[in-house]
DNA sequence: CATGAATGAGGTTTCATTCAT
DNA sequence: AATGAATGAAACCTCATTCAT
């Protein structure tokens, strides 16, 4: 990995190449969809020749997978850390986590990734499964545990925790889709953080005994 | 389905054909995605030759548009009728409408259509716009008006009604995507109606003053 | 198969198409080798578009296989029939069969096929195996049986029959290769039938006690 | 093979490299055919980088030519020496020479070279011509002269000497092809030296008056 | 002498679409 | 109304070859 990110060579650090390709690819996949994106386009946007991409990735599919992996990985730990470090009312933590998600919907390419997965999961189940395993199956139990803790501590009414999680999170999915699907069509922009904030209120009040 | 083996009358209601094509197309679009579906597949499933489809539709895109139109149209009126005919507490009506949506998520192909729109909207903005105009832009104001009514009548706290609508509806979108994207990957099936029911509780309580 | 080789339609009988393609392909495979032959060339020579070939064959490889099958099949029966119908001295029959082989080396595309198999068998073992199973493994035992019969009847000395068969047949292989490999390079043409005739003499005399 | 891990002297006989490349190339050409062999494979097997090959050879074709030249050259002199030094019956010498050829079929890579030439001669006539000029056109007249000598000396019947040579030699070609084409497909291994021995008997007896 | 990085040119294959019957 | 046959355009991918270091 540390191949030679050495001196200030005129040569673009080759280690940056894969990342550049992924960035170009994500732009295009998000804009035109996976199938409609030609490898040549990706190459052009990354400033390379078509063939050069194949030095770094086996396949068009491999690029897609890498895009998803690259964008998604590592952030969940952050959320988990927040959860673990937390003292006090569960409700506050839930709100915090929801705001964190909202932040990622606004400040990262997560919405594009989500749309990509929805669109391509049938044709490329690996990426759907990757997201399911690494994001959803990590995130849902985290939230679910918190809600159960809230119930156990008397902070919340007894509800079906698994469903409650979906109630809590769903607007973030909607936000991703609104932003990537409907806003480009001219729909009124959605204030995702305001949505998250008010939604947290709503659901937390709804959960209180 | 009833393949009349050309036994009796050669006479089939002539306009059954387009519908058969649309049905075949929706099956395949849902299963494999739009791009991955070949006209030949649609034809085969509809029991026609590839060329015959072009007697009824200009284009592959035209088929997609027709599929969306055909599946989506006319159902909104039902919801609107429910809303107009309603007396009494807004909360009850909201719950009713949400359960109605849940019913459609379970009992119609709406989830497939939603996924299709998410996937293909960039490449085929017409279908995205069609859904935006005919479903979303019809449905959201309907809900929004109800919530405002609830606020005005003192039944609800003052909240941002436009956001509240999204809070209310988002789980139905999530349901559509869960069902079409993640269940095929082996995720635990989601009880959509239970989700709708508990979510209605949560949000309505959350809205109460 | 009997699709409609009917009336004298202006339409080239479509059933002829595959054969036309195979003929074009064999010409080109023989001339330039399998890999160097582009599907486009085959198409052009067959008077079709590149894509049309794929209506009849799955693959470039499938074309190769079909070429070999088509050219090879059915001729062995002829030889076998000769063998079965024969009365009298084995030597005469051997000579007859060798002359028959020589005839095929001169009057059919068998030499091209043999060269093709030698050249492509590693990359496409199916065709090598096909030839091995259908020609070699049919032909060798036939000859071998005859030689054994000759030995048993006292017409020949006791020799290793399996090797003797190769002694007898080898010049026909050499003829195929001479004609396809060396003659195009300017080597003196080989009179295959004369070779077969003199070789039959030589070997038969050599076999006599 | 002896990968001198750059431990001791950086000094390797500088001209060992080309030979290593040729050896790697022959292995691969024989195994996968010329076209299917990638320069990268050759490089890997020779323990070099792809680009390094171009320090020694102009072209992929140049590698092929060199492989053929390298493997073929110089052996014919041996045969010629045997012929010149010989006294006594021609038949004995013919047998000796045939056994010598058989030895090379078993103990050298000649069969691979022959197959290579058959396969690639059309696309690379230079190598075909090289073999024709240097092996065939040297070898055939040698044998032919001997047979003529035998005829003149009354040892053999009068036959067409040019054809008789082919009768004599053909099984060695067959052996090469059997070994390289059919044995890898599972055909029964051929005892080349036994074949040569019995074939010499057969033909020599056949030649006797 | 050696290489990692890059590319241009080319071939196979797929598919929406058309047309003559 | 229907189809079998055909095609043009395009996309993915491979690989021999080059070049700067």
């Amino acid at each position: 990995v540390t191949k030679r990110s050495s001196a200030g060579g005129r040569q673009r650090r080759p280690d940056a190449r894969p990342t550049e390709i992924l960035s170009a690819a994500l732009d295009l996949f998000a804009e035109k969809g996976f199938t409609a994106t030609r490898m040549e386009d990706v190459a052009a946007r990354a400033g390379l020749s078509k063939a050069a991409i194949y030095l770094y990735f086996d396949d068009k599919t491999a690029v897609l997978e890498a895009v998803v992996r690259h964008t998604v990985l590592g952030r969940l730990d952050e959320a988990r850390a927040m959860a673990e470090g937390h003292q006090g009312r569960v409700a506050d933590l839930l709100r915090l986590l929801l705001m964190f998600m909202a932040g990622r919907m606004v400040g990262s390419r997560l919405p594009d990734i989500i749309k990509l997965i929805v669109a391509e999961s049938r044709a490329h189940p690996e990426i759907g499964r990757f997201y399911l395993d690494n994001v959803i199956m990590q995130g849902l139990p985290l939230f679910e545990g918190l809600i159960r803790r809230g119930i156990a501590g008397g902070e919340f009414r007894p509800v079906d925790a698994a469903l409650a999680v979906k109630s809590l999170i769903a607007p973030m999915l909607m936000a991703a889709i609104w932003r990537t699907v409907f806003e480009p069509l001219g729909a009124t922009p959605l204030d995702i953080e305001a949505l998250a904030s008010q939604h947290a209120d709503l659901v937390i009040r709804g959960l209180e005994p």
Side-chain angles (χ1 to χ4, degrees), chain A:
Chain A
V1 175
T2 346
K3 275 253 171 126
R4 65 180 153 108
S5 28
S6 50
R10 199 176 104 282
Q11 181 103 6
R12 234 203 279 225
R13 285 145 307 130
D15 320 9
R17 276 287 145 83
T19 307
E20 288 165 3
I21 294 170
L22 292 181
S23 163
L26 177 49
D27 288 350
L28 291 164
F29 290 166
E31 186 185 326
K32 322 164 59 160
F34 175 73
T35 325
T37 298
R38 286 154 45 221
M39 287 300 256
E40 197 159 3
D41 300 336
V42 176
R45 184 178 270 246
L48 279 114
S49 77
K50 216 190 326 180
I53 298 187
Y54 291 89
L55 297 175
Y56 301 97
F57 300 94
D58 281 346
D59 246 352
K60 197 186 176 189
T61 302
V63 176
L64 174 60
E65 282 190 48
V67 162
V68 173
R69 281 196 150 74
H70 184 78
T71 314
V72 155
L73 273 186
R75 307 314 169 117
L76 219 50
D77 302 338
E78 224 167 314
R80 197 173 293 122
M82 290 173 62
E84 276 164 11
H86 186 82
Q87 311 282 15
R89 291 181 47 198
V90 169
D92 294 338
L93 179 53
L94 287 181
R95 162 173 258 285
L96 214 62
L97 287 171
L98 202 64
M99 294 310 293
F100 172 73
M101 284 180 68
R104 297 220 65 215
M105 290 296 161
V106 169
S108 86
R109 317 224 36 182
L110 188 56
D112 289 327
I113 293 293
I114 289 173
K115 192 191 106 178
L116 212 42
I117 288 163
V118 171
E120 304 300 337
S121 173
R122 222 37 99 97
H124 305 278
E126 322 84 51
I127 72 163
R129 187 155 297 124
F130 175 80
Y131 194 79
L132 182 60
D133 292 346
N134 289 281
V135 179
I136 300 191
M137 285 319 186
Q138 306 293 321
L140 292 193
L142 175 68
F143 277 98
E144 204 174 319
L146 292 176
I147 288 176
R148 278 193 220 288
R149 202 208 295 175
I151 295 171
E155 193 179 336
F156 297 151
R157 301 184 283 129
V159 294
D160 181 321
L163 295 180
V165 171
K166 274 148 195 147
S167 285
L168 186 65
I169 282 176
M172 293 302 96
L173 172 62
M174 169 171 269
I177 287 178
W178 190 267
R179 179 146 289 187
T180 55
V181 177
F182 297 115
E183 287 189 10
L185 258 27
T188 355
L190 176 62
D191 182 340
I192 296 177
E193 280 160 330
L195 173 62
S197 175
Q198 172 169 302
H199 185 69
D201 280 0
L202 238 42
V203 170
I204 287 169
R205 281 185 183 240
L207 281 170
E208 283 167 359

